[in-house]
Amino acid sequence: MTTVQSSARKTLVLAAVLTAGVALHLVLLAGRAVALLRSGEPVGVALGAGVLILPVLGAWMVVSTWLSGIRVARLTQRLAAEGGLPDVSDLPRRPSGRVEPDAADAYFAERKAEVEASPRDWRAWYRVAHAYDLAGDRRRAREAMKRAVALEAEERAGR
């Protein structure tokens, strides 16, 4: 098993454990909501209805997060099979393990140029998402990865 596979397996186990914890919390919260709804008191019913929204929203967030993770994992596997995963092992790092900011910026500039040269290539968007992540811009990393997922889905549908 490679280091990447081992890391992915550990991440999957951690995600499953955290999901189980959240699911338990949502079930307990839903139980409280039902108890409030059954109270028959106007305030209890109103609070119960409000509290019942939280587990529904929580379940939607958990499902959408898992679906997103599955889609990104599919892209990662496909890119790995093609030998196109980003390799940043040669970039200088801080003692914390984070890539030096100047190196991350230079790496990002290269990935951005790839996207500008091939704006419909999901692989370029995947790599620019990785570059955003290295630079610490998680919001843009998520946006770029969503773009990569959408482009890859279009590519698969076009086959």
Side-chain angles (χ1 to χ4, degrees):
M1 182 181 308
T2 67
T3 304
V4 172
Q5 288 172 327
S6 175
S7 177
R9 189 173 307 260
K10 288 178 186 176
T11 301
L12 184 60
V13 169
L14 177 61
V17 168
L18 290 174
T19 299
V22 169
L24 175 63
H25 180 76
L26 294 176
V27 167
L28 293 173
L29 192 58
R32 291 292 176 190
V34 169
L36 285 167
L37 288 169
R38 286 184 177 166
S39 72
E41 297 292 322
V43 173
V45 170
L47 282 172
V51 170
L52 193 56
I53 291 170
L54 297 174
V56 170
L57 287 174
W60 172 79
M61 290 173 61
V62 167
V63 168
S64 65
T65 299
W66 270 97
L67 289 175
S68 176
I70 289 166
R71 290 179 189 118
V72 170
R74 184 183 63 236
L75 265 62
T76 302
Q77 290 172 346
R78 186 167 171 198
L79 203 53
E82 296 173 359
L85 280 179
D87 181 13
V88 293
S89 59
D90 60 334
L91 296 180
R93 297 186 179 268
R94 292 180 167 184
S96 65
R98 293 205 47 104
V99 173
E100 290 284 343
D102 291 341
D105 290 344
Y107 180 79
F108 175 78
E110 293 171 11
R111 302 299 74 83
K112 184 179 176 189
E114 280 183 33
V115 166
E116 289 170 351
S118 301
R120 304 283 307 154
D121 182 9
W122 68 266
R123 295 159 187 87
W125 280 99
Y126 182 101
R127 287 188 282 270
V128 84
H130 186 257
Y132 272 126
D133 187 59
L134 282 178
D137 193 341
R138 302 293 191 272
R139 184 182 62 79
R140 286 194 177 120
R142 283 189 300 275
E143 289 172 9
M145 191 58 78
K146 284 179 187 176
R147 180 79 175 136
V149 167
L151 288 170
E152 191 269 345
E154 286 177 18
E155 180 182 286
R156 273 188 299 108
R159 285 186 177 172

